[in-house]
């Protein structure tokens, strides 16, 4: 359980450029170093087909749980700084990217601002988020709107989503990509 004053937050990670496994691992290491925060769990790595324009390489995806005292806007700013440090360039919506970090859930909060929507607006449509989220949160997770993870997964086919044997760790080593 989180320490007093900390909120469990779930963050989705995705990459399909510039050695995706290394990108995900570097993001996990950076998130583990965030102030007033403690990395709790990291899912397996999943491979999925790209969603978006043009021909794109497959994505590697994962979800992690972070216990944090950072407020949602502070967490968003910290994640965007990590993306920028790893070379993320925002050009084409849903285009290929070296790293994408999204706050999926922040405690039981529902937030809808121009900068941030929690739970993530597309959560129920994204098998590459739902399956790793269920892996680390368990089958009894209930979202702030009352939806439970089991029902969402039942409505979102696994499709071409593949759970890999690759693991991300909060240690300081960055793995070689196995493509």
């Amino acid at each position: 359980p989180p320490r007093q004053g900390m909120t469990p937050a779930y963050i989705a990670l995705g990459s399909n450029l510039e050695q995706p496994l290394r990108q995900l691992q570097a993001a996990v290491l950076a998130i583990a170093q965030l102030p007033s925060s403690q990395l709790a769990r990291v899912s397996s790595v999943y491979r999925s087909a790209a969603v978006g324009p043009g021909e794109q390489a497959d994505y590697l995806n994962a979800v992690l749980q972070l216990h944090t005292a950072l407020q949602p806007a502070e967490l968003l700013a910290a994640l965007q700084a990590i993306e920028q440090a790893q070379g993320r360039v925002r050009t084409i919506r849903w285009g290929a990217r070296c790293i994408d970090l999204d706050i999926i859930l922040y405690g039981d909060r529902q937030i809808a601002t121009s900068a941030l929507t929690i739970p993530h607006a597309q959560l129920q449509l994204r098998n590459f988020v739902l399956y790793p989220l269920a892996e680390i949160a368990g089958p009894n997770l209930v979202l702030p709107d009352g939806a439970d993870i089991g029902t969402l997964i039942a409505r979102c086919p696994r499709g071409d989503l593949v759970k890999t044997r690759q693991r991300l760790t909060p240690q300081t080593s960055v793995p070689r990509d196995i493509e």
Side-chain angles (χ1 to χ4, degrees):
R3 293 193 308 251
Q4 180 127 11
M6 293 191 139
T7 301
Y10 290 92
I11 299 165
L13 302 85
S15 176
N16 74 337
L17 292 177
E18 301 172 29
Q19 298 182 298
L21 188 62
R22 290 179 65 87
Q23 292 286 347
L24 294 181
Q25 180 63 56
V28 168
L29 294 174
I31 292 168
Q33 301 302 313
L34 288 177
S36 306
S37 301
Q38 178 182 1
L39 184 65
R41 292 187 186 100
V42 182
S43 76
S44 299
V45 176
Y46 291 74
R47 182 179 302 278
S48 66
V51 175
E55 286 289 319
Q56 295 184 40
D58 285 353
Y59 272 83
L60 291 183
N61 301 282
V63 171
L64 62 77
Q65 182 187 42
L66 183 72
H67 295 160
T68 186
L70 297 174
Q71 291 302 304
E74 294 171 315
L75 180 57
L76 176 64
L79 295 177
Q80 289 175 339
I82 292 168
E83 288 178 337
Q84 191 169 20
Q86 286 186 226
R88 167 87 188 259
V89 178
R90 295 175 186 272
T91 51
I92 301 169
R93 184 172 170 90
W94 294 320
R97 61 201 68 161
C98 63
I99 191 68
D100 186 30
L101 303 173
D102 288 325
I103 304 170
I104 300 302
L105 296 169
Y106 184 92
D108 58 4
R109 303 262 305 266
Q110 290 183 297
I111 300 169
T113 68
S114 59
L116 186 59
T117 302
I118 298 175
H120 191 280
Q122 301 293 314
L123 175 62
Q124 71 280 5
L125 304 174
R126 295 187 167 168
N127 61 4
F128 56 87
V129 175
L130 288 172
Y131 285 82
L133 175 61
E135 178 187 324
I136 62 171
N140 300 321
L141 177 69
V142 177
L143 278 60
D145 65 1
D148 69 273
I149 192 80
T151 300
L152 293 177
I153 283 179
R155 293 181 187 155
C156 187
R158 190 178 193 113
D160 62 2
L161 185 69
V162 175
K163 182 177 176 179
T164 73
R165 288 194 283 236
Q166 297 159 326
R167 301 296 298 180
L168 302 170
T169 65
Q171 271 68 48
T172 55
S173 64
V174 177
R176 284 184 305 120
D177 248 354
I178 303 168
E179 297 291 340

